[in-house]
C-alpha cells in the first residue's frame, strides 16, 4: 500500500502527479500478476454483492434474482476486468454510457450486446440507450484511499452521476483497484463522493 505525503493546499497538482505515476506503473504490470490479482478482486467483489448488501439482495445467492441492477464498466487496459459478473448476474447489468451532452448514464447491457467507441479514447459503451438505475455500482479507480475516496482520470463523470442519482435513489458504491494502488490518503474536494466499499486483491474495506 502506498503512503502519500500530501500537500493538502495543492491537491489538484498532487492528484495529477499520482495519476501520471500510476499510469506509468500500469503499463509495466506483469500479465500473470495481473490475472492473479484480477481473480482475487473478482471473488472479493462477488462476496460483497452476495453477502454484504442485504438491503438490495437479502439472503439470496443468485445475483439478479430480485431484479436489481448492478452497474459494471467496460475495462480499460490495466483496470480490473469484472465483466464476467454479467454471466453470474444473468441479464441485470448496466454499463456507463456517455451521451453527446457529456452526461453519463447507465445503459442496459447483456453480455454479447454490441458496443461502440465512447467519447473517451479506448473506452467502449453499449450501443443501446435503454437507461437503467443500478442499485450497486462497481467503480474502476486508478487509486483508492482506505477511507473510501477515489482517484479517477479527473473528468468527473462518476461524481456528477452520483450527485444526481443519490438525491433520489439509494445506491451502494464499490471502488475497485489493485492493492498496490491502495493509499492511506488521497486528496479530495467537496464534490468527490466517498464510496461505501473499497476492494483490492487483498482487502475488502467497509468505509
Amino acid at each position: 500500500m502506498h503512503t502519500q505525503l500530501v500537500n493538502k493546499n495543492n491537491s489538484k497538482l498532487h492528484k495529477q502527479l499520482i495519476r501520471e505515476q500510476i499510469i506509468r506503473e500500469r503499463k509495466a504490470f506483469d500479465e500473470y500478476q495481473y490475472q492473479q490479482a484480477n481473480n482475487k478482486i473478482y471473488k472479493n467483489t462477488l462476496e460483497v454483492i452476495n453477502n454484504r448488501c442485504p438491503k438490495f439482495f437479502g439472503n439470496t445467492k443468485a445475483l439478479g434474482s430480485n431484479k436489481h441492477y448492478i452497474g459494471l464498466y467496460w475495462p480499460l487496459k490495466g483496470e480490473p476486468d469484472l465483466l464476467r459478473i454479467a454471466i453470474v448476474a444473468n441479464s441485470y447489468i448496466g454499463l456507463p454510457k456517455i451521451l453527446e451532452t457529456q452526461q453519463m448514464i447507465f445503459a442496459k447491457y447483456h453480455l454479447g450486446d454490441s458496443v461502440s467507441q465512447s467519447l473517451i479514447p479506448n473506452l467502449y459503451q453499449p450501443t443501446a440507450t435503454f437507461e437503467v438505475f443500478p442499485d450497486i455500482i462497481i467503480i474502476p479507480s486508478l487509486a483508492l484511499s482506505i477511507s473510501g475516496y477515489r482517484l479517477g482520470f479527473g473528468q468527473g463523470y462518476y461524481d456528477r452521476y452520483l450527485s444526481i442519482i443519490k438525491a433520489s435513489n439509494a445506491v451502494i458504491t464499490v471502488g475497485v483497484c489493485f492493492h498496490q494502488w491502495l493509499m492511506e490518503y488521497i486528496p479530495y474536494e467537496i464534490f468527490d463522493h466517498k464510496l461505501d466499499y473499497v476492494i483490492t486483491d487483498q482487502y475488502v474495506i467497509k468505509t
Side-chain angles (χ1 to χ4, degrees):
M1 180 172 67
H2 280 282
T3 300
Q4 294 291 332
L5 299 177
V6 179
N7 178 357
K8 297 181 182 179
N9 295 321
N10 200 357
S11 61
K12 289 184 178 179
L13 174 60
H14 185 74
K15 287 198 285 188
Q16 184 57 34
L17 292 175
I18 298 174
R19 285 188 189 100
E20 293 172 359
Q21 175 186 342
I22 293 174
I23 290 170
R24 287 194 301 269
E25 291 176 355
R26 290 207 318 192
K27 290 179 180 178
F29 209 167
D30 176 79
E31 182 63 24
Y32 176 77
Q33 291 179 334
Y34 168 85
Q35 293 296 340
Q36 292 294 104
N38 192 74
N39 286 337
K40 292 177 182 177
I41 291 175
Y42 168 75
K43 291 177 181 178
N44 286 342
T45 303
L46 283 185
E47 192 270 339
V48 166
I49 294 173
N50 278 327
N51 299 324
R52 301 198 180 195
C53 301
K55 183 174 182 179
F56 295 122
F57 295 95
N59 294 321
T60 181
K61 298 297 181 181
L63 299 183
S65 64
N66 292 328
K67 298 186 179 180
H68 293 290
Y69 276 92
I70 301 171
L72 291 175
Y73 60 91
W74 192 276
L76 292 169
K77 183 176 176 56
E79 289 180 338
D81 184 352
L82 304 177
L83 276 178
R84 55 184 157 156
I85 289 176
I87 300 173
V88 184
N90 198 7
S91 61
Y92 303 105
I93 294 295
L95 294 186
K97 184 180 180 74
I98 300 172
L99 307 178
E100 291 184 1
T101 59
Q102 295 292 319
Q103 177 188 5
M104 188 182 88
I105 65 169
F106 275 83
K108 189 174 183 178
Y109 176 76
H110 296 135
L111 201 63
D113 280 355
S114 63
V115 294
S116 57
Q117 173 69 52
S118 168
L119 296 176
I120 298 176
N122 303 315
L123 182 64
Y124 291 88
Q125 62 186 24
T127 303
T129 56
F130 183 87
E131 185 175 5
V132 299
F133 299 93
D135 302 290
I136 181 168
I137 302 177
I138 314 301
I139 304 176
S141 311
L142 282 171
L144 292 164
S145 73
I146 57 177
S147 60
Y149 285 99
R150 168 182 177 266
L151 182 70
F153 284 95
Q155 296 176 310
Y157 287 111
Y158 276 100
D159 285 313
R160 288 195 296 273
Y161 177 82
L162 292 175
S163 293
I164 296 171
I165 203 68
K166 280 197 166 186
S168 56
N169 294 275
V171 58
I172 292 174
T173 53
V174 179
V176 294
C177 77
F178 293 102
H179 185 73
Q180 64 202 76
W181 298 308
L182 177 65
M183 300 182 175
E184 290 186 4
Y185 178 82
I186 290 175
Y188 60 90
E189 299 169 71
I190 192 170
F191 50 79
D192 291 324
H193 284 267
K194 182 178 179 180
L195 305 179
D196 299 305
Y197 287 90
V198 167
I199 294 179
T200 75
D201 42 290
Q202 295 188 30
Y203 288 144
V204 172
I205 302 172
K206 176 70 172 71
T207 65

